[in-house]
Amino acid sequence: MSSSDTLTVRPLQSLDQQAWLPLWQGYLDFYQASLDPEVTKVTWQRLTADDDTVFGFGAFEGQSLIGIAHCVKHRATWTKGWYLYLEDLFTSPASRGKGAGEALIQAVYDKADALEASRVYWHTHYTNEVACRLYDRVGSNAGFIQYRRP
């Protein structure tokens, strides 16, 4: 957990669901994606389950949830331990520039250290220039291109 002034980052809890939904939808809208409501329901259950394979953090300004980060812990072929995939990171447009994104990434880094994960990684679309400016400060671009099954 990390905090600065009125910004606090903590694990998402069941009581955060109604505040989380608009941020989740904003993230999906940003990437022009739509999901079956059942997927959103299962995603929320996974994020708040008593299990550390899928988990989420929230950035709060006072009592208001202004940013979210979702992670997946998984095994890998290049280590005996764990990797953490930062699958989703989003802050509300009105809250950008307040440090929530960086604080969320730091919370993920702290969790990775606690889990002894050897890698934290994420990706974004190359046109997401605002996010890339943050990512260039807090991470390193390994130069990989993602491919998917059509």
PDB file of all heavy atoms in Angstrom, residues 55-86:
ATOM      1  N   PHE A  55      -5.761 -10.090  -9.024  1.00  0.00           N
ATOM      2  CA  PHE A  55      -6.061  -9.141  -7.947  1.00  0.00           C
ATOM      3  C   PHE A  55      -6.048  -7.727  -8.498  1.00  0.00           C
ATOM      4  O   PHE A  55      -5.563  -7.487  -9.607  1.00  0.00           O
ATOM      5  CB  PHE A  55      -5.081  -9.290  -6.774  1.00  0.00           C
ATOM      6  CG  PHE A  55      -3.641  -9.134  -7.155  1.00  0.00           C
ATOM      7  CD1 PHE A  55      -3.029  -7.889  -7.130  1.00  0.00           C
ATOM      8  CD2 PHE A  55      -2.892 -10.228  -7.554  1.00  0.00           C
ATOM      9  CE1 PHE A  55      -1.701  -7.745  -7.484  1.00  0.00           C
ATOM     10  CE2 PHE A  55      -1.557 -10.103  -7.907  1.00  0.00           C
ATOM     11  CZ  PHE A  55      -0.959  -8.852  -7.872  1.00  0.00           C
ATOM     12  N   GLY A  56      -6.601  -6.825  -7.729  1.00  0.00           N
ATOM     13  CA  GLY A  56      -6.669  -5.444  -8.182  1.00  0.00           C
ATOM     14  C   GLY A  56      -6.343  -4.466  -7.082  1.00  0.00           C
ATOM     15  O   GLY A  56      -6.503  -4.757  -5.892  1.00  0.00           O
ATOM     16  N   PHE A  57      -5.892  -3.294  -7.506  1.00  0.00           N
ATOM     17  CA  PHE A  57      -5.648  -2.174  -6.609  1.00  0.00           C
ATOM     18  C   PHE A  57      -6.519  -1.011  -7.042  1.00  0.00           C
ATOM     19  O   PHE A  57      -6.835  -0.858  -8.225  1.00  0.00           O
ATOM     20  CB  PHE A  57      -4.181  -1.725  -6.676  1.00  0.00           C
ATOM     21  CG  PHE A  57      -3.216  -2.698  -6.079  1.00  0.00           C
ATOM     22  CD1 PHE A  57      -2.427  -3.489  -6.894  1.00  0.00           C
ATOM     23  CD2 PHE A  57      -3.094  -2.827  -4.703  1.00  0.00           C
ATOM     24  CE1 PHE A  57      -1.522  -4.389  -6.356  1.00  0.00           C
ATOM     25  CE2 PHE A  57      -2.205  -3.733  -4.154  1.00  0.00           C
ATOM     26  CZ  PHE A  57      -1.407  -4.510  -4.977  1.00  0.00           C
ATOM     27  N   GLY A  58      -6.856  -0.179  -6.088  1.00  0.00           N
ATOM     28  CA  GLY A  58      -7.569   1.058  -6.376  1.00  0.00           C
ATOM     29  C   GLY A  58      -6.783   2.238  -5.862  1.00  0.00           C
ATOM     30  O   GLY A  58      -6.163   2.160  -4.790  1.00  0.00           O
ATOM     31  N   ALA A  59      -6.781   3.316  -6.620  1.00  0.00           N
ATOM     32  CA  ALA A  59      -6.194   4.583  -6.175  1.00  0.00           C
ATOM     33  C   ALA A  59      -7.364   5.466  -5.747  1.00  0.00           C
ATOM     34  O   ALA A  59      -8.301   5.683  -6.529  1.00  0.00           O
ATOM     35  CB  ALA A  59      -5.398   5.247  -7.290  1.00  0.00           C
ATOM     36  N   PHE A  60      -7.289   5.957  -4.534  1.00  0.00           N
ATOM     37  CA  PHE A  60      -8.371   6.752  -3.956  1.00  0.00           C
ATOM     38  C   PHE A  60      -7.870   8.147  -3.644  1.00  0.00           C
ATOM     39  O   PHE A  60      -6.805   8.311  -3.049  1.00  0.00           O
ATOM     40  CB  PHE A  60      -8.880   6.100  -2.669  1.00  0.00           C
ATOM     41  CG  PHE A  60      -9.546   4.777  -2.876  1.00  0.00           C
ATOM     42  CD1 PHE A  60      -8.800   3.622  -3.000  1.00  0.00           C
ATOM     43  CD2 PHE A  60     -10.933   4.694  -2.976  1.00  0.00           C
ATOM     44  CE1 PHE A  60      -9.409   2.392  -3.209  1.00  0.00           C
ATOM     45  CE2 PHE A  60     -11.554   3.480  -3.187  1.00  0.00           C
ATOM     46  CZ  PHE A  60     -10.792   2.329  -3.303  1.00  0.00           C
ATOM     47  N   GLU A  61      -8.671   9.128  -4.047  1.00  0.00           N
ATOM     48  CA  GLU A  61      -8.444  10.507  -3.643  1.00  0.00           C
ATOM     49  C   GLU A  61      -9.517  10.776  -2.600  1.00  0.00           C
ATOM     50  O   GLU A  61     -10.704  10.879  -2.946  1.00  0.00           O
ATOM     51  CB  GLU A  61      -8.572  11.443  -4.839  1.00  0.00           C
ATOM     52  CG  GLU A  61      -8.206  12.869  -4.515  1.00  0.00           C
ATOM     53  CD  GLU A  61      -8.217  13.731  -5.768  1.00  0.00           C
ATOM     54  OE1 GLU A  61      -9.234  13.719  -6.490  1.00  0.00           O
ATOM     55  OE2 GLU A  61      -7.209  14.406  -6.006  1.00  0.00           O
ATOM     56  N   GLY A  62      -9.113  10.806  -1.344  1.00  0.00           N
ATOM     57  CA  GLY A  62     -10.101  10.823  -0.267  1.00  0.00           C
ATOM     58  C   GLY A  62     -10.863   9.507  -0.312  1.00  0.00           C
ATOM     59  O   GLY A  62     -10.270   8.431  -0.291  1.00  0.00           O
ATOM     60  N   GLN A  63     -12.176   9.579  -0.461  1.00  0.00           N
ATOM     61  CA  GLN A  63     -13.010   8.381  -0.552  1.00  0.00           C
ATOM     62  C   GLN A  63     -13.344   8.002  -1.995  1.00  0.00           C
ATOM     63  O   GLN A  63     -13.994   6.984  -2.223  1.00  0.00           O
ATOM     64  CB  GLN A  63     -14.320   8.598   0.237  1.00  0.00           C
ATOM     65  CG  GLN A  63     -14.119   8.837   1.715  1.00  0.00           C
ATOM     66  CD  GLN A  63     -13.471   7.650   2.400  1.00  0.00           C
ATOM     67  OE1 GLN A  63     -13.887   6.510   2.216  1.00  0.00           O
ATOM     68  NE2 GLN A  63     -12.438   7.896   3.188  1.00  0.00           N
ATOM     69  N   SER A  64     -12.907   8.802  -2.948  1.00  0.00           N
ATOM     70  CA  SER A  64     -13.262   8.580  -4.352  1.00  0.00           C
ATOM     71  C   SER A  64     -12.241   7.699  -5.055  1.00  0.00           C
ATOM     72  O   SER A  64     -11.041   7.990  -5.038  1.00  0.00           O
ATOM     73  CB  SER A  64     -13.354   9.908  -5.101  1.00  0.00           C
ATOM     74  OG  SER A  64     -14.360  10.714  -4.547  1.00  0.00           O
ATOM     75  N   LEU A  65     -12.733   6.654  -5.698  1.00  0.00           N
ATOM     76  CA  LEU A  65     -11.879   5.777  -6.494  1.00  0.00           C
ATOM     77  C   LEU A  65     -11.598   6.471  -7.822  1.00  0.00           C
ATOM     78  O   LEU A  65     -12.523   6.763  -8.585  1.00  0.00           O
ATOM     79  CB  LEU A  65     -12.573   4.428  -6.729  1.00  0.00           C
ATOM     80  CG  LEU A  65     -11.806   3.378  -7.524  1.00  0.00           C
ATOM     81  CD1 LEU A  65     -10.496   3.000  -6.831  1.00  0.00           C
ATOM     82  CD2 LEU A  65     -12.673   2.143  -7.723  1.00  0.00           C
ATOM     83  N   ILE A  66     -10.314   6.748  -8.095  1.00  0.00           N
ATOM     84  CA  ILE A  66      -9.971   7.489  -9.310  1.00  0.00           C
ATOM     85  C   ILE A  66      -9.106   6.677 -10.275  1.00  0.00           C
ATOM     86  O   ILE A  66      -8.859   7.119 -11.389  1.00  0.00           O
ATOM     87  CB  ILE A  66      -9.275   8.826  -8.988  1.00  0.00           C
ATOM     88  CG1 ILE A  66      -7.935   8.603  -8.285  1.00  0.00           C
ATOM     89  CG2 ILE A  66     -10.196   9.727  -8.158  1.00  0.00           C
ATOM     90  CD1 ILE A  66      -7.061   9.844  -8.193  1.00  0.00           C
ATOM     91  N   GLY A  67      -8.646   5.501  -9.842  1.00  0.00           N
ATOM     92  CA  GLY A  67      -7.809   4.693 -10.717  1.00  0.00           C
ATOM     93  C   GLY A  67      -7.824   3.237 -10.295  1.00  0.00           C
ATOM     94  O   GLY A  67      -8.065   2.924  -9.125  1.00  0.00           O
ATOM     95  N   ILE A  68      -7.587   2.366 -11.260  1.00  0.00           N
ATOM     96  CA  ILE A  68      -7.587   0.926 -11.001  1.00  0.00           C
ATOM     97  C   ILE A  68      -6.402   0.263 -11.698  1.00  0.00           C
ATOM     98  O   ILE A  68      -5.944   0.727 -12.743  1.00  0.00           O
ATOM     99  CB  ILE A  68      -8.897   0.248 -11.461  1.00  0.00           C
ATOM    100  CG1 ILE A  68      -9.194   0.553 -12.939  1.00  0.00           C
ATOM    101  CG2 ILE A  68     -10.059   0.660 -10.560  1.00  0.00           C
ATOM    102  CD1 ILE A  68     -10.402  -0.172 -13.529  1.00  0.00           C
ATOM    103  N   ALA A  69      -5.936  -0.814 -11.103  1.00  0.00           N
ATOM    104  CA  ALA A  69      -4.914  -1.660 -11.706  1.00  0.00           C
ATOM    105  C   ALA A  69      -5.305  -3.104 -11.428  1.00  0.00           C
ATOM    106  O   ALA A  69      -5.660  -3.446 -10.298  1.00  0.00           O
ATOM    107  CB  ALA A  69      -3.539  -1.367 -11.122  1.00  0.00           C
ATOM    108  N   HIS A  70      -5.258  -3.937 -12.451  1.00  0.00           N
ATOM    109  CA  HIS A  70      -5.579  -5.362 -12.335  1.00  0.00           C
ATOM    110  C   HIS A  70      -4.366  -6.176 -12.735  1.00  0.00           C
ATOM    111  O   HIS A  70      -3.737  -5.880 -13.757  1.00  0.00           O
ATOM    112  CB  HIS A  70      -6.744  -5.741 -13.251  1.00  0.00           C
ATOM    113  CG  HIS A  70      -7.965  -4.921 -13.056  1.00  0.00           C
ATOM    114  ND1 HIS A  70      -8.854  -4.700 -14.075  1.00  0.00           N
ATOM    115  CD2 HIS A  70      -8.462  -4.271 -11.976  1.00  0.00           C
ATOM    116  CE1 HIS A  70      -9.850  -3.952 -13.627  1.00  0.00           C
ATOM    117  NE2 HIS A  70      -9.637  -3.673 -12.359  1.00  0.00           N
ATOM    118  N   CYS A  71      -4.058  -7.207 -11.959  1.00  0.00           N
ATOM    119  CA  CYS A  71      -2.867  -8.017 -12.205  1.00  0.00           C
ATOM    120  C   CYS A  71      -3.198  -9.499 -12.246  1.00  0.00           C
ATOM    121  O   CYS A  71      -4.137  -9.956 -11.595  1.00  0.00           O
ATOM    122  CB  CYS A  71      -1.851  -7.804 -11.091  1.00  0.00           C
ATOM    123  SG  CYS A  71      -1.214  -6.140 -11.035  1.00  0.00           S
ATOM    124  N   VAL A  72      -2.383 -10.219 -12.987  1.00  0.00           N
ATOM    125  CA  VAL A  72      -2.465 -11.673 -13.064  1.00  0.00           C
ATOM    126  C   VAL A  72      -1.086 -12.219 -12.702  1.00  0.00           C
ATOM    127  O   VAL A  72      -0.085 -11.860 -13.332  1.00  0.00           O
ATOM    128  CB  VAL A  72      -2.862 -12.145 -14.481  1.00  0.00           C
ATOM    129  CG1 VAL A  72      -2.882 -13.664 -14.563  1.00  0.00           C
ATOM    130  CG2 VAL A  72      -4.206 -11.553 -14.886  1.00  0.00           C
ATOM    131  N   LYS A  73      -1.046 -13.070 -11.681  1.00  0.00           N
ATOM    132  CA  LYS A  73       0.194 -13.744 -11.289  1.00  0.00           C
ATOM    133  C   LYS A  73       0.242 -15.077 -12.025  1.00  0.00           C
ATOM    134  O   LYS A  73      -0.745 -15.815 -12.025  1.00  0.00           O
ATOM    135  CB  LYS A  73       0.198 -13.970  -9.775  1.00  0.00           C
ATOM    136  CG  LYS A  73       1.439 -14.670  -9.266  1.00  0.00           C
ATOM    137  CD  LYS A  73       1.389 -14.859  -7.758  1.00  0.00           C
ATOM    138  CE  LYS A  73       0.779 -16.192  -7.435  1.00  0.00           C
ATOM    139  NZ  LYS A  73       0.896 -16.553  -6.011  1.00  0.00           N
ATOM    140  N   HIS A  74       1.388 -15.361 -12.663  1.00  0.00           N
ATOM    141  CA  HIS A  74       1.460 -16.622 -13.392  1.00  0.00           C
ATOM    142  C   HIS A  74       2.886 -17.177 -13.405  1.00  0.00           C
ATOM    143  O   HIS A  74       3.853 -16.454 -13.189  1.00  0.00           O
ATOM    144  CB  HIS A  74       0.932 -16.454 -14.825  1.00  0.00           C
ATOM    145  CG  HIS A  74       1.762 -15.557 -15.689  1.00  0.00           C
ATOM    146  ND1 HIS A  74       2.819 -16.011 -16.434  1.00  0.00           N
ATOM    147  CD2 HIS A  74       1.673 -14.226 -15.933  1.00  0.00           C
ATOM    148  CE1 HIS A  74       3.355 -14.999 -17.105  1.00  0.00           C
ATOM    149  NE2 HIS A  74       2.686 -13.905 -16.813  1.00  0.00           N
ATOM    150  N   ARG A  75       2.972 -18.458 -13.667  1.00  0.00           N
ATOM    151  CA  ARG A  75       4.264 -19.131 -13.841  1.00  0.00           C
ATOM    152  C   ARG A  75       4.817 -18.778 -15.213  1.00  0.00           C
ATOM    153  O   ARG A  75       4.088 -18.341 -16.093  1.00  0.00           O
ATOM    154  CB  ARG A  75       4.092 -20.654 -13.740  1.00  0.00           C
ATOM    155  CG  ARG A  75       3.623 -21.132 -12.400  1.00  0.00           C
ATOM    156  CD  ARG A  75       4.752 -21.136 -11.433  1.00  0.00           C
ATOM    157  NE  ARG A  75       4.329 -21.735 -10.165  1.00  0.00           N
ATOM    158  CZ  ARG A  75       5.019 -21.630  -9.070  1.00  0.00           C
ATOM    159  NH1 ARG A  75       6.144 -20.953  -9.048  1.00  0.00           N
ATOM    160  NH2 ARG A  75       4.596 -22.199  -7.964  1.00  0.00           N
ATOM    161  N   ALA A  76       6.095 -19.005 -15.368  1.00  0.00           N
ATOM    162  CA  ALA A  76       6.740 -18.706 -16.641  1.00  0.00           C
ATOM    163  C   ALA A  76       7.821 -19.744 -16.915  1.00  0.00           C
ATOM    164  O   ALA A  76       8.242 -20.466 -16.010  1.00  0.00           O
ATOM    165  CB  ALA A  76       7.348 -17.302 -16.603  1.00  0.00           C
ATOM    166  N   THR A  77       8.254 -19.796 -18.145  1.00  0.00           N
ATOM    167  CA  THR A  77       9.290 -20.761 -18.523  1.00  0.00           C
ATOM    168  C   THR A  77      10.700 -20.224 -18.287  1.00  0.00           C
ATOM    169  O   THR A  77      11.649 -20.982 -18.359  1.00  0.00           O
ATOM    170  CB  THR A  77       9.147 -21.157 -20.003  1.00  0.00           C
ATOM    171  OG1 THR A  77       9.247 -19.976 -20.807  1.00  0.00           O
ATOM    172  CG2 THR A  77       7.817 -21.858 -20.247  1.00  0.00           C
ATOM    173  N   TRP A  78      10.845 -18.941 -17.997  1.00  0.00           N
ATOM    174  CA  TRP A  78      12.164 -18.344 -17.853  1.00  0.00           C
ATOM    175  C   TRP A  78      12.541 -18.098 -16.400  1.00  0.00           C
ATOM    176  O   TRP A  78      13.506 -17.393 -16.123  1.00  0.00           O
ATOM    177  CB  TRP A  78      12.243 -17.040 -18.627  1.00  0.00           C
ATOM    178  CG  TRP A  78      12.280 -17.232 -20.120  1.00  0.00           C
ATOM    179  CD1 TRP A  78      11.731 -18.269 -20.838  1.00  0.00           C
ATOM    180  CD2 TRP A  78      12.883 -16.390 -21.074  1.00  0.00           C
ATOM    181  NE1 TRP A  78      11.953 -18.111 -22.163  1.00  0.00           N
ATOM    182  CE2 TRP A  78      12.673 -16.946 -22.341  1.00  0.00           C
ATOM    183  CE3 TRP A  78      13.582 -15.202 -20.989  1.00  0.00           C
ATOM    184  CZ2 TRP A  78      13.140 -16.366 -23.507  1.00  0.00           C
ATOM    185  CZ3 TRP A  78      14.041 -14.614 -22.150  1.00  0.00           C
ATOM    186  CH2 TRP A  78      13.821 -15.201 -23.397  1.00  0.00           C
ATOM    187  N   THR A  79      11.759 -18.625 -15.470  1.00  0.00           N
ATOM    188  CA  THR A  79      12.050 -18.444 -14.054  1.00  0.00           C
ATOM    189  C   THR A  79      11.429 -19.585 -13.264  1.00  0.00           C
ATOM    190  O   THR A  79      10.478 -20.216 -13.723  1.00  0.00           O
ATOM    191  CB  THR A  79      11.518 -17.086 -13.547  1.00  0.00           C
ATOM    192  OG1 THR A  79      11.868 -16.920 -12.167  1.00  0.00           O
ATOM    193  CG2 THR A  79      10.016 -16.986 -13.686  1.00  0.00           C
ATOM    194  N   LYS A  80      11.960 -19.827 -12.077  1.00  0.00           N
ATOM    195  CA  LYS A  80      11.350 -20.821 -11.194  1.00  0.00           C
ATOM    196  C   LYS A  80      10.176 -20.209 -10.436  1.00  0.00           C
ATOM    197  O   LYS A  80       9.347 -20.926  -9.906  1.00  0.00           O
ATOM    198  CB  LYS A  80      12.387 -21.348 -10.194  1.00  0.00           C
ATOM    199  CG  LYS A  80      13.495 -22.153 -10.840  1.00  0.00           C
ATOM    200  CD  LYS A  80      14.407 -22.783  -9.814  1.00  0.00           C
ATOM    201  CE  LYS A  80      15.174 -21.714  -9.059  1.00  0.00           C
ATOM    202  NZ  LYS A  80      16.140 -22.263  -8.101  1.00  0.00           N
ATOM    203  N   GLY A  81      10.134 -18.905 -10.391  1.00  0.00           N
ATOM    204  CA  GLY A  81       9.125 -18.202  -9.607  1.00  0.00           C
ATOM    205  C   GLY A  81       7.960 -17.710 -10.436  1.00  0.00           C
ATOM    206  O   GLY A  81       7.476 -18.393 -11.324  1.00  0.00           O
ATOM    207  N   TRP A  82       7.573 -16.482 -10.160  1.00  0.00           N
ATOM    208  CA  TRP A  82       6.362 -15.888 -10.716  1.00  0.00           C
ATOM    209  C   TRP A  82       6.669 -14.685 -11.580  1.00  0.00           C
ATOM    210  O   TRP A  82       7.678 -14.016 -11.399  1.00  0.00           O
ATOM    211  CB  TRP A  82       5.442 -15.423  -9.582  1.00  0.00           C
ATOM    212  CG  TRP A  82       4.979 -16.516  -8.705  1.00  0.00           C
ATOM    213  CD1 TRP A  82       5.488 -16.852  -7.481  1.00  0.00           C
ATOM    214  CD2 TRP A  82       3.921 -17.433  -8.968  1.00  0.00           C
ATOM    215  NE1 TRP A  82       4.801 -17.921  -6.977  1.00  0.00           N
ATOM    216  CE2 TRP A  82       3.833 -18.301  -7.862  1.00  0.00           C
ATOM    217  CE3 TRP A  82       3.037 -17.613 -10.031  1.00  0.00           C
ATOM    218  CZ2 TRP A  82       2.901 -19.322  -7.781  1.00  0.00           C
ATOM    219  CZ3 TRP A  82       2.108 -18.631  -9.953  1.00  0.00           C
ATOM    220  CH2 TRP A  82       2.040 -19.472  -8.844  1.00  0.00           C
ATOM    221  N   TYR A  83       5.746 -14.402 -12.475  1.00  0.00           N
ATOM    222  CA  TYR A  83       5.675 -13.124 -13.183  1.00  0.00           C
ATOM    223  C   TYR A  83       4.366 -12.463 -12.763  1.00  0.00           C
ATOM    224  O   TYR A  83       3.391 -13.158 -12.453  1.00  0.00           O
ATOM    225  CB  TYR A  83       5.619 -13.321 -14.695  1.00  0.00           C
ATOM    226  CG  TYR A  83       6.912 -13.634 -15.399  1.00  0.00           C
ATOM    227  CD1 TYR A  83       6.901 -13.857 -16.763  1.00  0.00           C
ATOM    228  CD2 TYR A  83       8.136 -13.702 -14.739  1.00  0.00           C
ATOM    229  CE1 TYR A  83       8.063 -14.144 -17.460  1.00  0.00           C
ATOM    230  CE2 TYR A  83       9.304 -13.986 -15.427  1.00  0.00           C
ATOM    231  CZ  TYR A  83       9.257 -14.208 -16.783  1.00  0.00           C
ATOM    232  OH  TYR A  83      10.407 -14.493 -17.472  1.00  0.00           O
ATOM    233  N   LEU A  84       4.334 -11.140 -12.821  1.00  0.00           N
ATOM    234  CA  LEU A  84       3.091 -10.393 -12.643  1.00  0.00           C
ATOM    235  C   LEU A  84       2.804  -9.643 -13.929  1.00  0.00           C
ATOM    236  O   LEU A  84       3.639  -8.874 -14.411  1.00  0.00           O
ATOM    237  CB  LEU A  84       3.199  -9.374 -11.505  1.00  0.00           C
ATOM    238  CG  LEU A  84       2.935  -9.848 -10.101  1.00  0.00           C
ATOM    239  CD1 LEU A  84       2.897  -8.669  -9.141  1.00  0.00           C
ATOM    240  CD2 LEU A  84       1.667 -10.651  -9.992  1.00  0.00           C
ATOM    241  N   TYR A  85       1.648  -9.887 -14.462  1.00  0.00           N
ATOM    242  CA  TYR A  85       1.184  -9.186 -15.655  1.00  0.00           C
ATOM    243  C   TYR A  85       0.216  -8.100 -15.214  1.00  0.00           C
ATOM    244  O   TYR A  85      -0.818  -8.393 -14.627  1.00  0.00           O
ATOM    245  CB  TYR A  85       0.506 -10.171 -16.605  1.00  0.00           C
ATOM    246  CG  TYR A  85      -0.166  -9.534 -17.798  1.00  0.00           C
ATOM    247  CD1 TYR A  85       0.467  -8.532 -18.532  1.00  0.00           C
ATOM    248  CD2 TYR A  85      -1.428  -9.940 -18.192  1.00  0.00           C
ATOM    249  CE1 TYR A  85      -0.151  -7.952 -19.635  1.00  0.00           C
ATOM    250  CE2 TYR A  85      -2.055  -9.366 -19.297  1.00  0.00           C
ATOM    251  CZ  TYR A  85      -1.410  -8.380 -20.005  1.00  0.00           C
ATOM    252  OH  TYR A  85      -2.023  -7.808 -21.089  1.00  0.00           O
ATOM    253  N   LEU A  86       0.562  -6.860 -15.448  1.00  0.00           N
ATOM    254  CA  LEU A  86      -0.318  -5.730 -15.171  1.00  0.00           C
ATOM    255  C   LEU A  86      -1.252  -5.616 -16.371  1.00  0.00           C
ATOM    256  O   LEU A  86      -0.919  -5.019 -17.388  1.00  0.00           O
ATOM    257  CB  LEU A  86       0.504  -4.458 -14.955  1.00  0.00           C
ATOM    258  CG  LEU A  86      -0.236  -3.143 -14.793  1.00  0.00           C
ATOM    259  CD1 LEU A  86      -1.305  -3.220 -13.713  1.00  0.00           C
ATOM    260  CD2 LEU A  86       0.741  -2.024 -14.520  1.00  0.00           C
TER     261      LEU A  86
END
